[in-house]
Amino acid sequence: RTTFIFEVNQPMASYLATLNIDQFVEQTQVLEDGLLIRNYFPVGLADAAAEVFSRQPEMIAFFSERFGPYPFDVYGAVVVNADLTFALETQTLSFFSRTLVDSYDSFSQESVIAHELAHQWFGNSVSLGDWSDIWLNEGFATYASWLWMEHEMGPAYFEDFIRDQYDFISGVYYTEAGLTEAQVERNLESWPILSEPDPGFLFHHVMYLRGGLVLHALRLEVGDETFFHILRTYHARFSGGTARTADFIAVAEEVSGRELGAFFDSWLNKRSVPPLG
């Protein structure tokens, strides 16, 4: 019989721990800065999974440049031998299922891996002050995965992608698909307002997609240099604790030197979608 003791050196929200029991192949890598990457893959899937997760070090370097240093002393992934439709940003050991490895295309794989990695900064290191601020988790991680896409695919592809997301959230997509104006309006009316999600809508796609678009709109509003300064300042100030939407707005206004109340009100507190840039 063996006793395993798991300890964390930084604060952790309780939902960010999981217990996974299986026969795993452990794969480790130490990065140049000393960060340990340890992955746990199911026997029989290890080689394929290793290829899928091979770009984690590049992603860590990319996000560290934009958000600030990686906030923990270790990272990696665990893949469970089950078909699941979700992943989870479990602290320092993101959780995925074999579905990601054997059923997703490479573009989708990288997007999901980048999303869960970005949560280590936004969601884990800076955790929620209240569940009603869930967009601070999911919108930030979603936009981070889009930033990785921009890095990989280039600005033209990125701009087209952003426009597609905007058309979907604003209802243009449904109009072009043949729905009447009344049908589109009823559909959008059923979606939550970003700042006031009911408990049953905490993980509605609005929290992810419109949340991501808030950040892109802010980037267009203040410019790249100021925008990434805002993200780094926000993370540095609240790392190891919790934050609310008002905290992020305060940092954005402080760093930009601008009053952004009307901007955030239009994106967070209204059902209609404001123009993008």
Side-chain angles (χ1 to χ4, degrees), residues 5 18-19 28 54 72 77 97 116 152 164 181 187 200-201 209 214 217 222 225 237 239 243 253 258 264:
I5 299 174
T18 64
L19 176 63
T28 62
S54 64
F72 302 108
S97 81
E116 305 310 334
E152 287 294 292
D164 287 343
E181 183 175 333
N187 189 38
F201 288 94
L209 301 183
V214 172
V222 302
E225 182 177 355
R237 185 165 300 173
S239 180
E253 292 186 329
R258 297 176 53 182
F264 280 108

PDB file of all heavy atoms in Angstrom, residues 5 18-19 28 54 72 77 97 116 152 164 181 187 200-201 209 214 217 222 225 237 239 243 253 258 264:
ATOM      1  N   ILE A   5       0.727  11.984  -0.941  1.00  0.00           N
ATOM      2  CA  ILE A   5       0.430  13.272  -0.328  1.00  0.00           C
ATOM      3  C   ILE A   5       0.583  14.351  -1.392  1.00  0.00           C
ATOM      4  O   ILE A   5       1.633  14.462  -2.025  1.00  0.00           O
ATOM      5  CB  ILE A   5       1.368  13.564   0.856  1.00  0.00           C
ATOM      6  CG1 ILE A   5       1.193  12.493   1.947  1.00  0.00           C
ATOM      7  CG2 ILE A   5       1.092  14.958   1.426  1.00  0.00           C
ATOM      8  CD1 ILE A   5       2.188  12.637   3.083  1.00  0.00           C
ATOM      9  N   THR A  18      -9.099  17.882  -8.577  1.00  0.00           N
ATOM     10  CA  THR A  18      -9.777  16.648  -8.957  1.00  0.00           C
ATOM     11  C   THR A  18      -8.899  15.468  -8.558  1.00  0.00           C
ATOM     12  O   THR A  18      -7.700  15.611  -8.335  1.00  0.00           O
ATOM     13  CB  THR A  18     -10.043  16.548 -10.476  1.00  0.00           C
ATOM     14  OG1 THR A  18      -8.789  16.497 -11.163  1.00  0.00           O
ATOM     15  CG2 THR A  18     -10.855  17.712 -10.984  1.00  0.00           C
ATOM     16  N   LEU A  19      -9.509  14.308  -8.468  1.00  0.00           N
ATOM     17  CA  LEU A  19      -8.784  13.065  -8.207  1.00  0.00           C
ATOM     18  C   LEU A  19      -9.007  12.142  -9.394  1.00  0.00           C
ATOM     19  O   LEU A  19     -10.148  11.825  -9.741  1.00  0.00           O
ATOM     20  CB  LEU A  19      -9.296  12.407  -6.921  1.00  0.00           C
ATOM     21  CG  LEU A  19      -8.698  11.040  -6.573  1.00  0.00           C
ATOM     22  CD1 LEU A  19      -7.203  11.146  -6.320  1.00  0.00           C
ATOM     23  CD2 LEU A  19      -9.410  10.436  -5.363  1.00  0.00           C
ATOM     24  N   THR A  28       7.623  14.052 -18.347  1.00  0.00           N
ATOM     25  CA  THR A  28       8.065  15.282 -17.715  1.00  0.00           C
ATOM     26  C   THR A  28       9.043  16.035 -18.605  1.00  0.00           C
ATOM     27  O   THR A  28       9.714  15.458 -19.459  1.00  0.00           O
ATOM     28  CB  THR A  28       8.743  15.006 -16.364  1.00  0.00           C
ATOM     29  OG1 THR A  28       9.904  14.197 -16.573  1.00  0.00           O
ATOM     30  CG2 THR A  28       7.780  14.288 -15.419  1.00  0.00           C
ATOM     31  N   SER A  54       2.338  18.798 -27.106  1.00  0.00           N
ATOM     32  CA  SER A  54       3.753  19.125 -27.244  1.00  0.00           C
ATOM     33  C   SER A  54       4.036  20.626 -27.260  1.00  0.00           C
ATOM     34  O   SER A  54       5.174  21.047 -27.018  1.00  0.00           O
ATOM     35  CB  SER A  54       4.317  18.487 -28.524  1.00  0.00           C
ATOM     36  OG  SER A  54       3.681  19.028 -29.679  1.00  0.00           O
ATOM     37  N   PHE A  72       2.449  29.765 -11.149  1.00  0.00           N
ATOM     38  CA  PHE A  72       2.659  28.621 -10.264  1.00  0.00           C
ATOM     39  C   PHE A  72       4.028  28.007 -10.510  1.00  0.00           C
ATOM     40  O   PHE A  72       4.766  28.435 -11.407  1.00  0.00           O
ATOM     41  CB  PHE A  72       1.535  27.599 -10.460  1.00  0.00           C
ATOM     42  CG  PHE A  72       0.160  28.169 -10.216  1.00  0.00           C
ATOM     43  CD1 PHE A  72      -0.721  28.394 -11.269  1.00  0.00           C
ATOM     44  CD2 PHE A  72      -0.255  28.513  -8.940  1.00  0.00           C
ATOM     45  CE1 PHE A  72      -1.975  28.937 -11.053  1.00  0.00           C
ATOM     46  CE2 PHE A  72      -1.508  29.060  -8.706  1.00  0.00           C
ATOM     47  CZ  PHE A  72      -2.373  29.273  -9.763  1.00  0.00           C
ATOM     48  N   ALA A  77      -0.773  18.448 -17.822  1.00  0.00           N
ATOM     49  CA  ALA A  77      -2.119  18.015 -18.177  1.00  0.00           C
ATOM     50  C   ALA A  77      -2.329  16.579 -17.740  1.00  0.00           C
ATOM     51  O   ALA A  77      -1.391  15.783 -17.717  1.00  0.00           O
ATOM     52  CB  ALA A  77      -2.338  18.130 -19.686  1.00  0.00           C
ATOM     53  N   SER A  97     -10.122  14.933 -21.553  1.00  0.00           N
ATOM     54  CA  SER A  97     -10.501  13.544 -21.802  1.00  0.00           C
ATOM     55  C   SER A  97      -9.874  13.057 -23.103  1.00  0.00           C
ATOM     56  O   SER A  97      -9.353  13.854 -23.900  1.00  0.00           O
ATOM     57  CB  SER A  97     -12.021  13.394 -21.867  1.00  0.00           C
ATOM     58  OG  SER A  97     -12.519  13.771 -23.142  1.00  0.00           O
ATOM     59  N   GLU A 116      -7.478  26.312 -21.331  1.00  0.00           N
ATOM     60  CA  GLU A 116      -7.296  25.826 -19.960  1.00  0.00           C
ATOM     61  C   GLU A 116      -5.987  26.333 -19.361  1.00  0.00           C
ATOM     62  O   GLU A 116      -5.918  26.624 -18.158  1.00  0.00           O
ATOM     63  CB  GLU A 116      -7.348  24.301 -19.921  1.00  0.00           C
ATOM     64  CG  GLU A 116      -8.600  23.675 -20.525  1.00  0.00           C
ATOM     65  CD  GLU A 116      -9.906  24.264 -20.013  1.00  0.00           C
ATOM     66  OE1 GLU A 116      -9.942  24.786 -18.870  1.00  0.00           O
ATOM     67  OE2 GLU A 116     -10.905  24.231 -20.760  1.00  0.00           O
ATOM     68  N   GLU A 152      -0.676  32.300 -34.221  1.00  0.00           N
ATOM     69  CA  GLU A 152      -0.413  31.178 -35.128  1.00  0.00           C
ATOM     70  C   GLU A 152      -0.889  31.430 -36.552  1.00  0.00           C
ATOM     71  O   GLU A 152      -0.222  31.052 -37.517  1.00  0.00           O
ATOM     72  CB  GLU A 152      -1.095  29.913 -34.581  1.00  0.00           C
ATOM     73  CG  GLU A 152      -0.423  29.323 -33.358  1.00  0.00           C
ATOM     74  CD  GLU A 152       0.954  28.784 -33.687  1.00  0.00           C
ATOM     75  OE1 GLU A 152       1.040  27.784 -34.430  1.00  0.00           O
ATOM     76  OE2 GLU A 152       1.947  29.372 -33.223  1.00  0.00           O
ATOM     77  N   ASP A 164     -16.735  36.865 -37.181  1.00  0.00           N
ATOM     78  CA  ASP A 164     -17.691  35.750 -37.107  1.00  0.00           C
ATOM     79  C   ASP A 164     -18.283  35.629 -35.703  1.00  0.00           C
ATOM     80  O   ASP A 164     -19.491  35.383 -35.546  1.00  0.00           O
ATOM     81  CB  ASP A 164     -17.011  34.438 -37.495  1.00  0.00           C
ATOM     82  CG  ASP A 164     -16.731  34.342 -38.984  1.00  0.00           C
ATOM     83  OD1 ASP A 164     -17.334  35.109 -39.756  1.00  0.00           O
ATOM     84  OD2 ASP A 164     -15.903  33.490 -39.375  1.00  0.00           O
ATOM     85  N   GLU A 181     -36.705  38.683 -38.117  1.00  0.00           N
ATOM     86  CA  GLU A 181     -36.230  39.616 -37.096  1.00  0.00           C
ATOM     87  C   GLU A 181     -36.828  39.277 -35.739  1.00  0.00           C
ATOM     88  O   GLU A 181     -36.144  39.350 -34.710  1.00  0.00           O
ATOM     89  CB  GLU A 181     -36.591  41.041 -37.506  1.00  0.00           C
ATOM     90  CG  GLU A 181     -36.072  42.097 -36.548  1.00  0.00           C
ATOM     91  CD  GLU A 181     -36.346  43.506 -37.041  1.00  0.00           C
ATOM     92  OE1 GLU A 181     -36.455  43.696 -38.267  1.00  0.00           O
ATOM     93  OE2 GLU A 181     -36.450  44.406 -36.198  1.00  0.00           O
ATOM     94  N   ASN A 187     -34.604  34.870 -29.693  1.00  0.00           N
ATOM     95  CA  ASN A 187     -33.436  34.068 -29.387  1.00  0.00           C
ATOM     96  C   ASN A 187     -32.462  34.845 -28.500  1.00  0.00           C
ATOM     97  O   ASN A 187     -31.994  34.347 -27.468  1.00  0.00           O
ATOM     98  CB  ASN A 187     -32.743  33.635 -30.680  1.00  0.00           C
ATOM     99  CG  ASN A 187     -31.649  32.618 -30.445  1.00  0.00           C
ATOM    100  OD1 ASN A 187     -31.793  31.743 -29.602  1.00  0.00           O
ATOM    101  ND2 ASN A 187     -30.567  32.716 -31.189  1.00  0.00           N
ATOM    102  N   GLY A 200     -28.310  29.111 -13.593  1.00  0.00           N
ATOM    103  CA  GLY A 200     -28.368  28.118 -14.653  1.00  0.00           C
ATOM    104  C   GLY A 200     -27.660  28.521 -15.927  1.00  0.00           C
ATOM    105  O   GLY A 200     -27.513  27.714 -16.846  1.00  0.00           O
ATOM    106  N   PHE A 201     -27.196  29.788 -15.997  1.00  0.00           N
ATOM    107  CA  PHE A 201     -26.555  30.295 -17.209  1.00  0.00           C
ATOM    108  C   PHE A 201     -25.084  30.652 -16.989  1.00  0.00           C
ATOM    109  O   PHE A 201     -24.485  31.339 -17.809  1.00  0.00           O
ATOM    110  CB  PHE A 201     -27.300  31.528 -17.727  1.00  0.00           C
ATOM    111  CG  PHE A 201     -28.634  31.225 -18.336  1.00  0.00           C
ATOM    112  CD1 PHE A 201     -29.793  31.296 -17.582  1.00  0.00           C
ATOM    113  CD2 PHE A 201     -28.737  30.856 -19.667  1.00  0.00           C
ATOM    114  CE1 PHE A 201     -31.030  31.012 -18.146  1.00  0.00           C
ATOM    115  CE2 PHE A 201     -29.970  30.571 -20.247  1.00  0.00           C
ATOM    116  CZ  PHE A 201     -31.111  30.645 -19.467  1.00  0.00           C
ATOM    117  N   LEU A 209     -18.078  33.821 -25.281  1.00  0.00           N
ATOM    118  CA  LEU A 209     -17.889  34.558 -26.526  1.00  0.00           C
ATOM    119  C   LEU A 209     -18.037  36.066 -26.342  1.00  0.00           C
ATOM    120  O   LEU A 209     -17.168  36.836 -26.769  1.00  0.00           O
ATOM    121  CB  LEU A 209     -18.856  34.043 -27.588  1.00  0.00           C
ATOM    122  CG  LEU A 209     -18.723  32.557 -27.937  1.00  0.00           C
ATOM    123  CD1 LEU A 209     -19.683  32.177 -29.052  1.00  0.00           C
ATOM    124  CD2 LEU A 209     -17.290  32.208 -28.321  1.00  0.00           C
ATOM    125  N   VAL A 214     -15.633  41.437 -25.192  1.00  0.00           N
ATOM    126  CA  VAL A 214     -15.417  42.601 -24.329  1.00  0.00           C
ATOM    127  C   VAL A 214     -13.940  42.977 -24.337  1.00  0.00           C
ATOM    128  O   VAL A 214     -13.566  44.152 -24.480  1.00  0.00           O
ATOM    129  CB  VAL A 214     -15.874  42.315 -22.885  1.00  0.00           C
ATOM    130  CG1 VAL A 214     -15.455  43.465 -21.964  1.00  0.00           C
ATOM    131  CG2 VAL A 214     -17.372  42.118 -22.804  1.00  0.00           C
ATOM    132  N   ALA A 217     -12.851  44.371 -27.698  1.00  0.00           N
ATOM    133  CA  ALA A 217     -13.338  45.743 -27.843  1.00  0.00           C
ATOM    134  C   ALA A 217     -12.501  46.701 -27.006  1.00  0.00           C
ATOM    135  O   ALA A 217     -12.192  47.820 -27.442  1.00  0.00           O
ATOM    136  CB  ALA A 217     -14.806  45.823 -27.439  1.00  0.00           C
ATOM    137  N   VAL A 222      -8.321  51.033 -26.426  1.00  0.00           N
ATOM    138  CA  VAL A 222      -7.163  51.653 -25.766  1.00  0.00           C
ATOM    139  C   VAL A 222      -5.840  51.389 -26.479  1.00  0.00           C
ATOM    140  O   VAL A 222      -4.822  51.996 -26.141  1.00  0.00           O
ATOM    141  CB  VAL A 222      -7.053  51.188 -24.301  1.00  0.00           C
ATOM    142  CG1 VAL A 222      -8.322  51.529 -23.537  1.00  0.00           C
ATOM    143  CG2 VAL A 222      -6.748  49.688 -24.205  1.00  0.00           C
ATOM    144  N   GLU A 225      -0.648  48.277 -26.654  1.00  0.00           N
ATOM    145  CA  GLU A 225       0.302  48.461 -25.557  1.00  0.00           C
ATOM    146  C   GLU A 225      -0.422  48.665 -24.234  1.00  0.00           C
ATOM    147  O   GLU A 225      -0.100  48.017 -23.222  1.00  0.00           O
ATOM    148  CB  GLU A 225       1.216  49.653 -25.844  1.00  0.00           C
ATOM    149  CG  GLU A 225       2.271  49.869 -24.771  1.00  0.00           C
ATOM    150  CD  GLU A 225       3.218  51.011 -25.106  1.00  0.00           C
ATOM    151  OE1 GLU A 225       3.118  51.567 -26.220  1.00  0.00           O
ATOM    152  OE2 GLU A 225       4.059  51.345 -24.241  1.00  0.00           O
ATOM    153  N   ARG A 237      -1.790  42.490  -9.549  1.00  0.00           N
ATOM    154  CA  ARG A 237      -2.413  43.092  -8.367  1.00  0.00           C
ATOM    155  C   ARG A 237      -3.277  42.095  -7.602  1.00  0.00           C
ATOM    156  O   ARG A 237      -3.328  42.149  -6.362  1.00  0.00           O
ATOM    157  CB  ARG A 237      -3.248  44.307  -8.787  1.00  0.00           C
ATOM    158  CG  ARG A 237      -3.839  45.083  -7.615  1.00  0.00           C
ATOM    159  CD  ARG A 237      -4.335  46.432  -8.059  1.00  0.00           C
ATOM    160  NE  ARG A 237      -3.240  47.237  -8.622  1.00  0.00           N
ATOM    161  CZ  ARG A 237      -3.423  48.412  -9.207  1.00  0.00           C
ATOM    162  NH1 ARG A 237      -4.639  48.922  -9.318  1.00  0.00           N
ATOM    163  NH2 ARG A 237      -2.391  49.085  -9.697  1.00  0.00           N
ATOM    164  N   SER A 239      -3.212  38.577  -8.011  1.00  0.00           N
ATOM    165  CA  SER A 239      -2.690  37.210  -7.991  1.00  0.00           C
ATOM    166  C   SER A 239      -2.695  36.652  -6.581  1.00  0.00           C
ATOM    167  O   SER A 239      -2.302  37.327  -5.628  1.00  0.00           O
ATOM    168  CB  SER A 239      -1.263  37.199  -8.547  1.00  0.00           C
ATOM    169  OG  SER A 239      -0.734  35.895  -8.549  1.00  0.00           O
ATOM    170  N   ALA A 243     -11.029  38.643  -7.332  1.00  0.00           N
ATOM    171  CA  ALA A 243     -11.325  39.942  -7.940  1.00  0.00           C
ATOM    172  C   ALA A 243     -12.755  39.940  -8.443  1.00  0.00           C
ATOM    173  O   ALA A 243     -13.332  38.888  -8.743  1.00  0.00           O
ATOM    174  CB  ALA A 243     -10.347  40.253  -9.075  1.00  0.00           C
ATOM    175  N   GLU A 253      -9.191  51.572 -16.056  1.00  0.00           N
ATOM    176  CA  GLU A 253      -9.247  53.036 -16.057  1.00  0.00           C
ATOM    177  C   GLU A 253      -7.939  53.635 -15.537  1.00  0.00           C
ATOM    178  O   GLU A 253      -7.455  54.641 -16.060  1.00  0.00           O
ATOM    179  CB  GLU A 253     -10.426  53.503 -15.212  1.00  0.00           C
ATOM    180  CG  GLU A 253     -11.778  53.155 -15.822  1.00  0.00           C
ATOM    181  CD  GLU A 253     -12.952  53.728 -15.065  1.00  0.00           C
ATOM    182  OE1 GLU A 253     -12.840  53.872 -13.827  1.00  0.00           O
ATOM    183  OE2 GLU A 253     -13.970  54.038 -15.701  1.00  0.00           O
ATOM    184  N   ARG A 258      -8.227  56.718 -18.600  1.00  0.00           N
ATOM    185  CA  ARG A 258      -9.488  57.102 -19.231  1.00  0.00           C
ATOM    186  C   ARG A 258     -10.665  56.642 -18.385  1.00  0.00           C
ATOM    187  O   ARG A 258     -10.570  55.683 -17.624  1.00  0.00           O
ATOM    188  CB  ARG A 258      -9.592  56.486 -20.636  1.00  0.00           C
ATOM    189  CG  ARG A 258      -8.531  56.982 -21.593  1.00  0.00           C
ATOM    190  CD  ARG A 258      -8.615  56.271 -22.923  1.00  0.00           C
ATOM    191  NE  ARG A 258      -9.959  56.344 -23.499  1.00  0.00           N
ATOM    192  CZ  ARG A 258     -10.313  55.766 -24.640  1.00  0.00           C
ATOM    193  NH1 ARG A 258      -9.411  55.083 -25.331  1.00  0.00           N
ATOM    194  NH2 ARG A 258     -11.530  55.881 -25.109  1.00  0.00           N
ATOM    195  N   PHE A 264     -17.820  49.915 -20.546  1.00  0.00           N
ATOM    196  CA  PHE A 264     -18.116  48.641 -19.884  1.00  0.00           C
ATOM    197  C   PHE A 264     -19.609  48.464 -19.652  1.00  0.00           C
ATOM    198  O   PHE A 264     -20.125  47.337 -19.707  1.00  0.00           O
ATOM    199  CB  PHE A 264     -17.351  48.552 -18.562  1.00  0.00           C
ATOM    200  CG  PHE A 264     -15.912  48.163 -18.730  1.00  0.00           C
ATOM    201  CD1 PHE A 264     -14.898  49.085 -18.548  1.00  0.00           C
ATOM    202  CD2 PHE A 264     -15.568  46.868 -19.091  1.00  0.00           C
ATOM    203  CE1 PHE A 264     -13.563  48.724 -18.716  1.00  0.00           C
ATOM    204  CE2 PHE A 264     -14.241  46.494 -19.261  1.00  0.00           C
ATOM    205  CZ  PHE A 264     -13.237  47.431 -19.069  1.00  0.00           C
TER     206      PHE A 264
END
